Amino acid sequence: MDLNLSIDEQQFQDELRSWLSTNVPREWEHAREQSLDVRFEFHRKWQRQLFEGGWAGISWPKEYGGRGASLMQQVIFWQEMARAGAPQMANVLGLGLIGPTIIAFGTEEQKKRYLRNILNADEIWCQGFSEPNAGSDLAGLQTDARLDGDHYVVNGQKVWTSYGWLADWCEVVVRTDPAAPKHKGLTVMLVDMKSPGVDVRPLRQMTGETEFNEVFFRDVRIPAANVVGKVNQGWDVAIGTLMHERGSFGAGLQIIYKRNMDRLTELAHSTQRNGAPAAKDPIIRQKLAQCYAEIEIMRLNQMRAFSRISSTGVPGPEGSIQKIFWSELNQRFQQVAQELLGPYGQLSSEADEAIDNGTWSYGYLRSRGNTIEAGTSEIQRNIIGHFVLGLPRSY
Amino acid sequence: MQFGLTESQEILRDSARKFFAGECPIAEARRLMETDAAYDAKLWSKLAEQGYTGIIFPEEYGGVGLGIVELILLLEESGRALLPGPFFTTVVQAGSLIDAAGSPEQKKKYLAPICHGETRASVAFLEANASWDPADIHLEASADGKLTGEKLFVPDAAVADTILVVAHNGVFAVDSKAPGLTLKPMPGMDLTRRQYSLKLKNTPGEKLANPAGLPRARGIATAALVAEMVGGMQRALDLTVEYAKTRKQFGKPIGTFQAVQHQCADMYLETESSRSAVYYAAWALEQKAPDAATAVSIAKMYASDASRTVGNRGIQIHGGMGFTWENDLHLYYRRAKASETMFGDATFHRERIARQVIDTSTFVAKTA
Ligand SMILES: Cc1cc2nc3c(=O)[nH]c(=O)nc-3n(C[C@H](O)[C@H](O)[C@H](O)COP(=O)(O)OP(=O)(O)OC[C@H]3O[C@@H](n4cnc5c(N)ncnc54)[C@H](O)[C@@H]3O)c2cc1C
């Protein structure tokens, strides 16, 4: 165990720190007031700036636009972004899930074609896994793909597709062999969202926003060259994507969590409670300290996981504890924020009196999705029970 | 940067695991539990032969000179084995205090025999107010180093040759046979680490040269205690998963039921998270990192709650069997409760974290 930075890592950190100190956009504090589209464009512009500075895809190979650095440098990158209070990047799913999947399973052509555009945010990605009848039981999905010459013809429906309304591309899992057992007949494909027959319909979330969507496929023709991995072996590829989603995706979240914690601490000093700043209230102090500690433990869990991944090469099922940790922690954190803010916590951006433009009421509601998206908490606990602890399958 | 164990750290951990499994299986822990002080001289000399009694101390005093991460790995294993007796008290608590607060002569006198396995020692800190805050210590030594007063919850005092008494005006090494010193057992939940009340009446003591070393020694002892707790949690998890795989009801292993399986998953999450926190705390202490004190508090805070919860879940999953004396879980559960409060419980450490990161936040200046 050695958490000291190597010479390379130190150089990397210094360079990044100085780059961030002059490049992190300050005006973005006000981005909260803006609509989802405006906010998205802001994050896209920021990601481009990072890419041009050489800071996108830290551990991705150089030949595809990455930096070719180590996984631990990627970890340093997130920590520095959090430290600098930098905004997150726009192409969340492309960077976190789809890029790593293409790197692991894609052909040389696919890597050349897609990776650079993920990094520079020219092409935004979404993930078309869930269907109306296949959520937790993903392998039960029914979207159907039939080979016709050198194309697949796809029919079916995906749902809860985040960023679907603005995505250029989508990683879908489809059924290519309806006769095979449910895990055996699946294939992963990359779909151009502008293909004829793709129909995206926004779904309104409980937050009032429309981040996720329904996506309908009607005789959509997908070139066979867009298959990732082998035909009918898509389950392995999909699991690869999900392992990243559970295991490593959360690492980038410390950027947001740290910023939220700092802001809540600031509010605790400026909010009155029993005639004194709330930061002096013994119970509020306990709760803030608990949040602070848990955010730190999340970071440490992630660091340990990344050290393991950098020696084994792939995230394993133990990554499910990261998913449980970040999602349930955010729900606890948002509740503490509500307690601190009292009646102000519920105010939305339309209220003149709202604190931080209603970000706390939004955050509270949004956090309910955390334990559902990327595999529910129940499913993560099943995974730990069966695949990590070796208990019998419960279903 | 690498947050995993090195090869030599893995070797140390594995050989410690083997050592404790061989020398102190749970039957032996149970045997010692029934004795007066849970101490066994033969086991003690074996611990010394392994170098464990001097693990982190300088070689010039007979120590092995390893780091705090290595100490943590050893304590994880002794915790897993529920090692009874004064090992933690002597080596980790008292040893680190002498190492941090003693002069070279005092280290020769008090630390070297600990390293060599010749003596045992304890630390007397708590008073009737049971506060772990040094500001709440009232006992005061007279100008000529005589101590009068009472200390409570002094661990393993009956087998200690030296007791380090923390007074308001210094830390004093007191010979356990010194005049005016009396001990009385304070029987509690943990049968493997006995506690005593200590009365002093004009008892002579030798003042340690550098009392400013106290916080560092406390930091090391707290991190090591958390490691011991992590070892206990790991054992409770292993026992419980094993039971959930083999115990059958309704025709299938109870681990098939999600109400059981999910509790096991949570035990795993809590154990692993405590481990991440204490590994980092150990490293931060080793490097004397600026956030070391916060890191120690985070680890103790989290593990204090987690070790109790892990025990709760483990007992529940064992059903009636979990409620028996015969089952080993309660032995870990008892120690977990004692360890939970030792050096401050979760509430105590949350307040410390708040002082370190909420009060000193840059926003205080801005809004004041
Ligand atoms: C904000 C948000 C964004 C999302 N973004 C995307 C996206 O971009 N792409 C995408 O493909 N999907 C996305 N999803 C979908 C998400 O992955 C699914 O909602 C999730 O996997 C659960 O599936 P479901 O909604 O069908 O619920 P169900 O599977 O019907 O589950 C309902 C309840 O039953 C429980 N349950 C089900 N099976 C079991 C079991 N075996 N054991 C114990 N409990 C069980 C679940 O835990 C849950 O509590 C998103 C969801 C949300 C909330």
Side-chain angles (χ1 to χ4, degrees):
Chain A
M1 198 172 127
D2 182 6
L3 300 176
N4 284 317
L5 302 186
S6 68
I7 295 168
D8 279 0
E9 288 166 346
Q10 188 63 58
Q11 222 163 20
F12 173 83
Q13 189 190 55
D14 292 345
E15 208 183 313
L16 176 57
R17 246 181 220 184
S18 86
W19 189 87
L20 287 172
S21 71
T22 52
N23 284 278
V24 169
R26 285 301 151 202
E27 74 279 9
W28 94 281
E29 297 298 336
H30 306 286
R32 290 192 184 102
E33 302 162 44
Q34 313 290 341
S35 69
L36 202 55
D37 300 75
V38 174
R39 268 180 5 226
F40 192 86
E41 281 317 310
F42 171 84
H43 288 290
R44 190 202 288 260
K45 203 174 132 229
W46 167 234
Q47 184 178 336
R48 284 216 173 105
Q49 203 179 332
L50 279 161
F51 175 78
E52 274 149 26
W55 303 110
I58 304 297
S59 62
W60 293 20
K62 266 199 180 122
E63 60 262 48
Y64 313 121
R67 199 182 173 91
S70 70
L71 215 48
M72 294 324 273
Q73 271 156 298
Q74 177 71 62
V75 172
I76 296 169
F77 172 78
W78 282 313
Q79 292 184 358
E80 289 304 314
M81 289 274 283
R83 192 175 168 275
Q88 61 271 33
M89 291 189 262
N91 209 354
V92 182
L93 299 176
L95 293 164
L97 316 184
I98 291 127
T101 305
I102 294 175
I103 291 171
F105 296 95
T107 61
E108 189 54 34
E109 289 71 39
Q110 288 169 342
K111 291 179 193 173
K112 285 208 182 93
R113 165 65 189 79
Y114 299 110
L115 293 177
R116 183 178 300 272
N117 288 350
I118 290 177
L119 293 177
N120 61 22
D122 275 357
E123 289 175 340
I124 301 302
W125 283 75
C126 63
Q127 177 195 16
F129 281 31
S130 306
E131 296 183 3
N133 289 315
S136 300
D137 187 11
L138 179 63
L141 62 87
Q142 286 155 358
T143 295
D144 170 85
R146 298 282 159 90
L147 191 60
D148 176 24
D150 54 1
H151 280 69
Y152 281 90
V153 179
V154 174
N155 281 286
Q157 184 198 343
K158 296 291 175 182
V159 73
W160 323 128
T161 319
S162 302
Y163 305 105
W165 92 101
L166 50 66
D168 303 285
W169 285 85
C170 182
E171 178 193 359
V172 291
V173 196
V174 294
R175 189 164 298 284
T176 36
D177 183 357
K182 70 177 182 180
H183 292 88
K184 302 282 180 196
L186 302 176
T187 302
V188 167
M189 296 180 186
L190 308 176
V191 190
D192 183 341
M193 292 294 276
K194 286 175 232 51
S195 313
V198 175
D199 180 16
V200 180
R201 295 184 205 161
L203 289 168
R204 197 156 182 214
Q205 299 176 180
M206 65 178 268
T207 54
E209 285 184 314
T210 51
E211 204 180 34
F212 64 26
N213 309 261
E214 295 178 292
V215 182
F216 294 87
F217 297 90
R218 206 147 161 222
D219 291 331
V220 177
R221 295 183 68 80
I222 301 176
N226 288 16
V227 168
V228 181
K230 296 209 174 75
V231 174
N232 292 331
Q233 290 180 25
W235 184 247
D236 296 339
V237 181
I239 286 292
T241 304
L242 294 178
M243 291 285 192
H244 281 285
E245 186 169 36
R246 293 165 193 150
S248 37
F249 188 66
L253 291 174
Q254 60 178 292
I255 300 172
I256 304 172
Y257 287 20
K258 172 145 192 318
R259 192 171 59 239
N260 287 347
M261 183 71 216
D262 286 350
R263 178 62 187 141
L264 196 62
T265 305
E266 189 174 22
L267 286 168
H269 286 291
S270 60
T271 305
Q272 292 292 304
R273 177 68 54 103
N274 301 322
K280 298 280 169 224
D281 180 279
I283 294 175
I284 294 285
R285 291 167 71 75
Q286 286 281 313
K287 293 188 176 184
L288 289 175
Q290 178 79 31
C291 289
Y292 182 93
E294 288 188 23
I295 293 170
E296 178 67 358
I297 292 176
M298 172 180 99
R299 179 180 80 86
L300 298 171
N301 275 342
Q302 298 276 5
M303 261 169 81
R304 260 179 83 215
F306 272 97
S307 288
R308 196 160 43 221
I309 296 168
S310 53
S311 56
T312 60
V314 280
E318 66 282 349
S320 284
I321 70 168
Q322 318 294 347
K323 169 70 214 318
I324 297 175
F325 207 102
W326 70 251
S327 57
E328 297 183 357
L329 161 57
N330 193 41
Q331 292 178 346
R332 290 189 289 268
F333 175 83
Q334 294 293 343
Q335 172 57 22
V336 171
Q338 289 293 320
E339 288 172 39
L340 177 74
L341 300 175
Y344 287 96
Q346 66 191 302
L347 294 179
S348 72
S349 56
E350 288 104 63
D352 290 341
E353 297 80 2
I355 292 169
D356 298 334
N357 308 306
T359 188
W360 299 102
S361 67
Y362 171 79
Y364 176 72
L365 294 174
R366 181 62 184 81
S367 72
R368 296 326 305 174
N370 295 158
T371 48
I372 300 168
E373 60 197 323
T376 67
S377 284
E378 291 75 25
I379 294 302
Q380 308 300 342
R381 287 184 168 85
N382 290 345
I383 292 168
I384 294 171
H386 180 63
F387 291 100
V388 180
L389 301 177
L391 292 167
R393 279 199 93 105
S394 61
Y395 52 94
Chain B
M1 184 166 78
Q2 178 61 21
F3 198 171
L5 304 182
T6 62
E7 216 184 296
S8 63
Q9 286 167 342
E10 279 178 3
I11 290 172
L12 176 113
R13 181 198 58 195
D14 295 347
S15 78
R17 189 172 301 175
K18 243 171 75 198
F19 172 82
F20 289 118
E23 299 300 335
C24 188
I26 199 75
E28 178 65 4
R30 278 182 179 269
R31 185 186 71 78
L32 289 174
M33 217 170 78
E34 305 292 340
T35 65
D36 266 356
Y39 168 71
D40 181 79
K42 257 198 238 122
L43 180 56
W44 194 261
S45 56
K46 282 178 188 153
L47 289 164
E49 268 165 39
Q50 294 293 315
Y52 294 161
T53 47
I55 177 156
I56 50 169
F57 304 124
E59 288 169 41
E60 54 177 314
Y61 304 112
V64 185
L66 291 176
I68 295 168
V69 175
E70 283 77 13
L71 174 72
I72 256 64
L73 297 174
L74 176 63
L75 266 291
E76 214 182 306
E77 295 309 319
S78 67
R80 180 197 292 259
L82 199 78
L83 176 70
F87 179 74
F88 177 82
T89 306
T90 298
V91 175
V92 183
Q93 254 194 290
S96 334
L97 185 51
I98 300 163
D99 193 29
S103 66
E105 296 74 47
Q106 288 169 332
K107 290 185 201 182
K108 232 178 268 160
K109 184 166 161 197
Y110 298 111
L111 187 57
I114 288 177
C115 293
H116 294 132
E118 294 157 6
T119 58
R120 282 147 306 282
S122 181
V123 177
F125 186 91
L126 285 186
E127 297 180 1
N129 60 24
S131 165
W132 287 102
D133 190 338
D136 290 327
I137 299 258
H138 297 298
L139 190 117
E140 205 174 73
S142 63
D144 60 345
K146 295 267 167 54
L147 298 148
T148 301
E150 192 178 21
K151 290 283 182 181
L152 299 180
F153 306 98
V154 184
D156 300 304
V159 290
D161 302 284
T162 307
I163 299 175
L164 303 173
V165 178
V166 181
H168 170 66
N169 53 346
V171 179
F172 295 82
V174 173
D175 188 321
S176 63
K177 284 173 213 70
L181 182 155
T182 47
L183 288 176
K184 198 164 83 55
M186 294 176 75
M189 276 193 216
D190 184 5
L191 306 168
T192 60
R193 186 178 289 142
R194 301 297 170 81
Q195 302 185 107
Y196 302 83
S197 69
L198 169 72
K199 278 210 177 84
L200 303 165
K201 206 171 161 195
N202 257 326
T203 307
E206 178 180 350
K207 191 171 181 176
L208 296 189
N210 169 34
L214 188 64
R216 174 149 182 91
R218 168 75 71 82
I220 294 170
T222 306
L225 182 69
V226 174
E228 195 193 78
M229 294 162 88
V230 169
M233 284 187 243
Q234 183 67 52
R235 182 74 186 134
L237 169 64
D238 292 346
L239 287 170
T240 303
V241 168
E242 193 48 41
Y243 191 74
K245 283 178 187 169
T246 46
R247 167 71 178 167
K248 285 198 175 117
Q249 283 295 280
F250 302 95
K252 43 183 119 157
I254 56 165
T256 316
F257 307 125
Q258 285 185 356
V260 170
Q261 197 171 112
H262 289 190
Q263 300 254 17
C264 292
D266 283 329
M267 291 170 80
Y268 173 76
L269 181 143
E270 289 153 353
T271 305
E272 283 297 323
S273 300
S274 302
R275 186 174 277 136
S276 299
V278 75
Y279 281 10
Y280 180 71
W283 183 84
L285 282 166
E286 179 66 45
Q287 302 286 315
K288 304 201 164 92
D291 65 340
T294 308
V296 169
S297 278
I298 288 174
K300 183 62 171 63
M301 176 229 105
Y302 190 85
S304 291
D305 284 339
S307 61
R308 181 186 65 249
T309 321
V310 163
N312 289 344
R313 298 183 201 277
I315 291 171
Q316 182 67 20
I317 291 173
H318 276 76
M321 187 57 89
F323 192 65
T324 62
W325 186 267
E326 174 198 343
N327 189 275
D328 294 332
L329 276 175
H330 74 102
L331 304 179
Y332 289 90
Y333 194 67
R334 287 161 174 273
R335 183 182 278 184
K337 178 47 88 182
S339 301
E340 181 184 334
T341 57
M342 196 172 199
F343 309 140
D345 64 3
T347 307
F348 175 90
H349 283 281
R350 276 190 289 263
E351 175 55 29
R352 272 187 34 144
I353 295 165
R355 283 184 205 169
Q356 286 151 1
V357 304
I358 309 289
D359 295 346
T360 63
S361 135
T362 49
F363 309 122
V364 184
K366 229 160 81 182
T367 50

